[in-house]
Amino acid sequence: MNKKVLAIILGGGQGSRLYPLTKSRSKPAVPIAGKYRLVDIPISNCINSNIKRMFVLTQFNSASLNKHIKHTYQFSYFSDAFVDILAAEQTPGNKGWFQGTADAVRQSIHHFKGYESEYILILSGDQLYQMDFNEMLDAHIKADAKISIASLPVNAKDATSFGILKTDENQCISSFIEKPDMNVLPEWTSEVSDAMKKQEKHYLASMGIYIFNKDLLVELLEGTETMDFGKEIIPQAIENHKVLSYAYEGYWTDIGNIDSFFEANLDLTSDIPKFNLFNKGQSILTRPRVLPPTKISGTTLEKSIIAEGSIVHGSRIANSVIGIRSRIGRGTVIENSYIMGSNQFLDLEEIDEARRKGIPHVGIGDRCFITNCIIDKNAKIGDDVRITGGKHLEDTETDTYVVRDGIVVIKNGALIPSGTSI
């Protein structure tokens, strides 16, 4: 275990852009790829990099996140490894919530300041990528940097949505601008690899992944009122300290809204997805469940992922992710959708009771047609339901579903009566 590094994973704010998936859970606890949670990504990257001491900072709807981490990341009693949750707390010296990324670390700094470490690795809890942090740490040490920022080459269109770094010939950051206008972009190009030049990616975007020398981080935070790393700490530090850009050219996406979340999940069904769940050396870890294998009867499957513990009788599933313990009825067609599944199995008595009462049970009923849709966990979809998402739909919200960018999101535990058409 690498004792030089302590990792801090930022749980993010209220997650309003991922609503309603964040209605009752924090952003890092949102299910992804049918069986994982978003927080599993940074934690797995750390463990695969032999960094096994982690704090997860959170303050909104943290119950499900606490439960997931408690049941997932259990190390030997004789090991110093841990993944601990630090929720926002009132103390004699502080009465408020986290006000930003830097403020979250400042308010929690007394918890980790005494741990043996030379470097602090700061990560986001809502990004999808696979990265060996040792390579970034080696570059940081070799350059004798005080701060290192992971950067991603992007094109001009994407550059306006990120914090953009400008580097010198030694890859040290000379200046930083937050979400620049298109008209000033020509002044912000940096040296990138030939492969990135061919893709017209001439700008280095901050990925929100930082390595700080621990002593400097404490100095920058204690006794100050800065709230955010990207907007305040980094621009100020560039003027007085050596700040290195670590260029990363692999797949990375920020799960910031429903559209990016939906696209990232459906891409997993591609022949060669951008995010590789089958990578032997960089496997994604999650809660070890003892579930039976999935049972499929009479279903045509095309480019889909089916998680364990499911019972599938549908007629066709295409370009879709089917989560754990899903139940899909006969004659049902699912296309371009993410079905999150359920938290518990139904026994036959519960199913018979629901049928006697004429109400849907957890899962998807018979003869349904579902496309361009996210169905959150424990939803009850009746028979003959049609959900047709697409750009023809305007953004809206009801008691049971939300439409964002043409994607229909059925809320957690919602009941959609038989015969409904959305």
Side-chain angles (χ1 to χ4, degrees), residues 158-179:
D158 292 336
T160 56
S161 302
F162 290 97
I164 298 299
L165 321 170
K166 191 172 179 62
T167 58
D168 61 21
E169 64 277 5
N170 297 316
Q171 302 307 310
C172 290
I173 300 170
S174 55
S175 50
F176 175 91
I177 186 171
E178 187 78 21
K179 297 180 180 178

Side-chain angles (χ1 to χ4, degrees), residues 147 216 220 232-243:
I147 304 171
L216 176 62
L220 292 173
E232 297 170 273
I233 293 284
I234 299 303
Q236 293 169 14
I238 289 169
E239 298 178 8
N240 303 306
H241 304 282
K242 188 174 186 179
V243 183

